[in-house]
Amino acid sequence: MEGRSSEYKKGLWTVEEDKILTDYIRLHGKGKWNRVAKVTGLKRCGKSCRLRWINYLSPNVKRGNFSQEEDDLIIRLHNLLGNRWSLIAGRVPGRTDNQVKNHWNTHLGKKVGARRKGKGKVVDSTQALSKSVGGNLSTLSKSDFTPSLSGNEEGTRSQEVNKIGFEHQSIVGLSGSQELMKGDIDYDNCFWFSSDELDLQPHSLMEFLDKSLDFIWHGL
DNA sequence: AAGAGAAACAACCGCATCGTA
DNA sequence: CTACGATGCGGTTGTTTCTCT
């Protein structure tokens, strides 16, 4: 099929292309990715340039093997958040969402899967979270998980968040691997918080998640 | 040494959301 | 209010490298 997409090259990046992109960003800064091809003549679409910079060329990206500490952190965060790779990566310094996702799919997922094999029904962590808060997370949009609830709490976004049906509970449990059932709790794979301790507000799931993450982060 | 299959990593695609004119 | 381009995310696919026979 020959279409507009044929204007752009696909596949692995060459050293020359990397240099062109790096020079462009050094000169113009990040953003305006669609301008890269126009300004530099690089035969790559904006999305491809952005991805290449974020995942590979950026000086903030840590290369090399994942440490045991990073593995543990990712496993714990995945337990809490599920496949929300960008959120997880945001808590793992120097690692990108793509790196974390790939590492999970090739190493950690198998490791964790093997450990859990035979330990009962495995459910998606968002389902587990949904169960624990008494609502349906699948109705939420991605933006409900971004830390941008500022100012107007009566706005549409907070109304969306309220769809969760979040209710005050004395204890809130999160489990990425197990259904939450009385008398059948896998404490190794759960994080528990007292909502009093966290001063949990029902209108903001993100605040809850962020406090949860800080809680874990400082406890590591 | 060479080929096959598995594993690891890089990149693409489709969709959702955001920002702005 | 709406349309549209830019950006971000997660799933998936493609390519390369490694390991085993």
Side-chain angles (χ1 to χ4, degrees), chain A residues 6-218:
Chain A
S6 65
E7 290 172 24
Y8 298 112
K9 190 183 163 188
K10 288 189 195 175
L12 296 182
W13 282 63
T14 64
V15 177
E16 288 75 26
E17 288 175 319
D18 282 347
K19 189 177 181 315
I20 291 169
L21 180 57
T22 305
D23 288 347
Y24 172 87
I25 289 166
R26 199 173 292 145
L27 224 63
H28 300 92
K30 287 183 284 181
K32 309 275 183 199
W33 298 107
N34 286 329
R35 286 190 57 203
V36 178
K38 289 170 190 162
V39 173
T40 66
L42 195 61
K43 297 259 184 295
R44 295 282 183 173
C45 70
K47 283 176 87 167
S48 184
C49 293
R50 175 185 159 269
L51 211 64
R52 183 63 178 171
W53 174 258
I54 289 173
N55 287 327
Y56 199 83
L57 298 176
S58 169
N60 298 326
V61 176
K62 196 198 284 185
R63 315 294 307 169
N65 294 337
F66 281 67
S67 66
Q68 187 58 51
E69 287 75 23
E70 287 175 315
D71 283 355
D72 289 345
L73 180 57
I74 291 165
I75 289 167
R76 286 161 185 263
L77 289 171
H78 187 270
N79 252 342
L80 181 68
L81 297 168
N83 294 358
R84 297 189 182 280
W85 305 116
S86 61
L87 274 178
I88 294 172
R91 297 274 168 171
V92 185
R95 301 298 187 182
T96 69
D97 56 350
N98 211 34
Q99 279 180 309
V100 171
K101 179 173 60 183
N102 281 335
H103 187 57
W104 179 270
N105 287 336
T106 54
H107 296 95
L108 303 180
K110 290 171 192 169
K111 208 158 89 179
V112 172
R115 212 191 303 163
R116 287 176 186 162
K117 204 173 179 182
K119 283 187 85 179
K121 189 178 168 186
V122 173
V123 295
D124 180 80
S125 62
T126 52
Q127 289 173 15
L129 175 60
S130 177
K131 276 175 182 289
S132 73
V133 300
N136 183 4
L137 283 180
S138 66
T139 62
L140 295 172
S141 63
K142 281 181 193 169
S143 60
D144 295 324
F145 292 89
T146 56
S148 56
L149 285 173
S150 57
N152 182 14
E153 290 184 355
E154 303 303 313
T156 54
R157 176 158 301 168
S158 58
Q159 286 170 4
E160 279 292 303
V161 172
N162 278 334
K163 276 199 226 161
I164 305 165
F166 206 109
E167 291 171 3
H168 281 294
Q169 298 174 358
S170 57
I171 294 288
V172 175
L174 299 178
S175 168
S177 62
Q178 304 290 311
E179 292 208 63
L180 297 177
M181 283 186 265
K182 277 185 178 172
D184 183 25
I185 299 163
D186 177 3
Y187 289 97
D188 288 342
N189 290 309
C190 292
F191 300 99
W192 292 89
F193 307 96
S194 158
S195 60
D196 293 339
E197 198 176 274
L198 291 171
D199 189 25
L200 198 61
Q201 298 299 312
H203 62 269
S204 172
L205 174 62
M206 191 54 221
E207 274 182 31
F208 167 66
L209 283 175
D210 223 39
K211 284 179 177 176
S212 304
L213 288 170
D214 284 337
F215 182 86
I216 296 160
W217 187 256
H218 292 121

